[in-house]
Amino acid sequence: MANHPEPERDARRASSQRDAVRERFAGRRPGRDCAPRPSARYLRFRAGDEVFRPGHLADGFYTVLTGSFEHTIGAGTPAPYHRVLRPGDHFGERVLFGDDLRTGQVVAIEDSSVLFIERGDFRRIATGFPALEEYFR
């Protein structure tokens, strides 16, 4: 004779599993909030927003679409590097091939937007195109 589990115990287990799934995904919309973040996405910054500063983890590559940013390396040193970044300029790529930490600071001068590419995806793209990798090294 086959051994059949108790229907009540199976119902409790299924209910418990459903509750765990509901708790994990509470407030999320299927197909939207549960999907992984795209590797390239648009980010917006308001005037005065800090994009990153020295010591931050190097998270990706930024291309300026609108607005402007101030990029500073070596603040407080005798000869700091300052540059204003405008649409078409890019930043954040140099440390993606070496150190994991940012060495400079980038702050939005005005309301601005960028196209951001995650670190791993940027490295895969750049290493897949040797000329691109060499340009960014």
Side-chain angles (χ1 to χ4, degrees):
M1 203 166 170
N3 192 4
H4 297 286
E6 294 178 31
E8 186 177 313
R9 185 178 62 202
D10 287 347
R12 282 194 312 267
R13 182 178 298 145
S15 176
S16 174
Q17 289 171 343
R18 278 192 305 272
D19 290 345
V21 169
R22 281 189 191 117
E23 182 177 323
R24 181 172 181 206
F25 295 103
R28 297 183 182 183
R29 297 167 295 183
R32 287 197 171 165
D33 296 332
C34 300
R37 272 193 336 208
S39 59
R41 61 189 182 276
Y42 298 108
L43 301 176
R44 297 176 196 268
F45 296 92
R46 293 180 188 245
D49 283 352
E50 184 178 67
V51 179
F52 56 74
R53 67 174 156 216
H56 279 185
L57 185 64
D59 57 350
F61 170 78
Y62 302 78
T63 298
V64 181
L65 300 175
T66 64
S68 59
F69 296 86
E70 181 178 21
H71 185 201
T72 305
I73 299 175
T77 64
Y81 167 86
H82 291 283
R83 180 174 176 212
V84 174
L85 303 162
R86 301 191 187 289
D89 291 332
H90 54 81
F91 59 93
E93 73 285 349
R94 300 258 182 237
V95 297
L96 296 180
F97 291 104
D99 298 332
D100 290 337
L101 300 179
R102 297 288 184 192
T103 57
Q105 178 184 37
V106 175
V107 176
I109 296 170
E110 58 188 306
D111 290 355
S112 305
S113 64
V114 299
L115 176 63
F116 173 78
I117 302 174
E118 297 275 349
R119 176 190 182 120
D121 292 306
F122 176 77
R123 289 180 72 168
R124 279 189 289 281
I125 292 167
T127 55
F129 297 98
L132 187 62
E133 181 180 23
E134 188 168 319
Y135 173 79
F136 285 117
R137 282 197 180 257

